Each structure stands twice: as C-alpha cells, then as structure tokens.
Amino acid sequence: MRTAAHEESGTDSVKSVLTLESGQSPMGVVLAAFARPAMWELTTDSRTHAEGVLETTIIYMPLGGEKPVAITEDVPFRATYDFAVPEGSWTTLSVEDTEAIQITGERVELKCNVRLQAQVYETTDYTLALDAELIEEGHEIPGGVTLY
C-alpha cells in the first residue's frame, strides 16, 4: 500500500500576449479564459524548473457581434519553483487564477499561476489472508453476540 510521506508544492506566475489571427473578428469584450498545462520537461537543482505549453482557450464577444467566439492557442511556458523535487516523486501540474486582459481588439494578455505539486510515497507491505476454512456446525466460536 502506498501512503504519502512528504509533499512539496509551489506556484509561479506566467504571462503571455496572444494575438488574433488575420480574418478573426476583433474582440469587443473578453468573457472567460481557461488554460491547461502540458509539461514536457522537469529539471531539479536547488530549485525546480518546469517547461511545457499552456493549452489556452479564450472566449470573447466580437466587436459588434451577437454570438461569443472562442480561440485556442498553445502558449509555451517556463516556471521556476523554490524547492527541489525529491527523486521518485509523483508530480502534478495545474493552473490557477487564469485571467485574460484585453489590450486591443486583436491582442489579449493571459496571466495565470502554474502550480506544481510533488508527493513522495512510502510503500508498506501487508499480509492478507488468502485462504479460509469452513467451520463444522455445532463448533463454538469464542466471543459474544448482541442482538437488537
């Protein structure tokens, strides 16, 4: 059985500017922003560095439009954390506090916090009963029974 023995976690802020592709409707109002991290490299010295992409989606109302529009873009990131990930850790990367701030009708700044969680697990061995025997009828089993 595995049980968590030690955990480290931290966040680093990531910023990027996204630009609409030509032909896309200019932004009127940004409605929502979402980001999901995909990590491709994790290195540790006295600190930990994570690299990957943020799979982002921004939903906005186009200028003069009546239906919302969604754009998606992979945004490269590099985050640094003030702890060293112990060897053999299970790591999880997540995004918190995603915010999109409109700069112009074609540009938006994406801000978010990328959280790294590293857990070290201990393994404990247990002995389990793998065989059981049927007790003959009339054989007394020590103990008591309470009926309600």
Side-chain angles (χ1 to χ4, degrees), residues 91-139:
T91 58
T92 305
L93 205 60
S94 59
V95 174
E96 302 171 343
D97 305 322
T98 305
E99 181 181 15
I101 301 164
Q102 185 174 345
I103 300 170
T104 66
E106 290 78 29
R107 296 176 65 205
V108 64
E109 180 181 50
L110 178 75
K111 293 181 183 181
C112 63
N113 293 320
V114 179
R115 179 177 176 79
L116 176 67
Q117 185 173 9
Q119 294 178 320
V120 177
Y121 289 90
E122 289 180 346
T123 303
T124 307
D125 293 331
Y126 290 95
T127 303
L128 301 175
L130 300 176
D131 192 15
E133 293 181 23
L134 182 62
I135 298 176
E136 296 178 17
E137 191 174 323
H139 182 77

